[in-house]
Amino acid sequence: MRVEVIRAWPHRFDSVVLSLPPGATVADAVSASGFAEAAHPAVAIHGVIATPDTVLNDNDRVEVLRPLQTDPKEARRRRARG
């Protein structure tokens, strides 16, 4: 089956298209992509949070999410203060 694994930053991204056997999991895809070298806080499939044990389907897009740089609540407080 065909799976795409994406890792993104502001203004750039890395993408790898993999051919994995049926029954492959998110953990298998991230490991095969070469993006497993850094600890990632979360992974999503087509924008929906997934666990490493989630079984993939053909044409899934696995998104390796980066850690938040700022707490969202603190960012809103800063914007509200002006």
Side-chain angles (χ1 to χ4, degrees):
M1 83 179 136
R2 178 192 176 277
V3 176
E4 182 177 18
V5 182
I6 296 174
R7 177 174 62 173
W9 299 270
H11 311 294
R12 72 181 180 99
F13 69 95
D14 291 332
S15 174
V16 176
V17 176
L18 303 170
S19 179
L20 297 173
T25 64
V26 168
D28 297 332
V30 172
S31 178
S33 71
F35 298 156
E37 74 281 350
H40 300 286
V43 178
I45 299 173
H46 296 289
V48 178
I49 296 294
T51 66
D53 299 338
T54 302
V55 177
L56 297 169
N57 296 306
D58 192 33
N59 293 317
D60 273 350
R61 183 184 69 227
V62 178
E63 300 150 359
V64 179
L65 306 175
R66 59 189 169 87
L68 294 175
Q69 295 179 345
T70 305
D71 176 36
K73 290 180 183 179
E74 182 58 32
R76 282 191 292 275
R77 284 186 197 109
R78 287 184 201 160
R79 284 193 304 270
R81 281 184 243 150

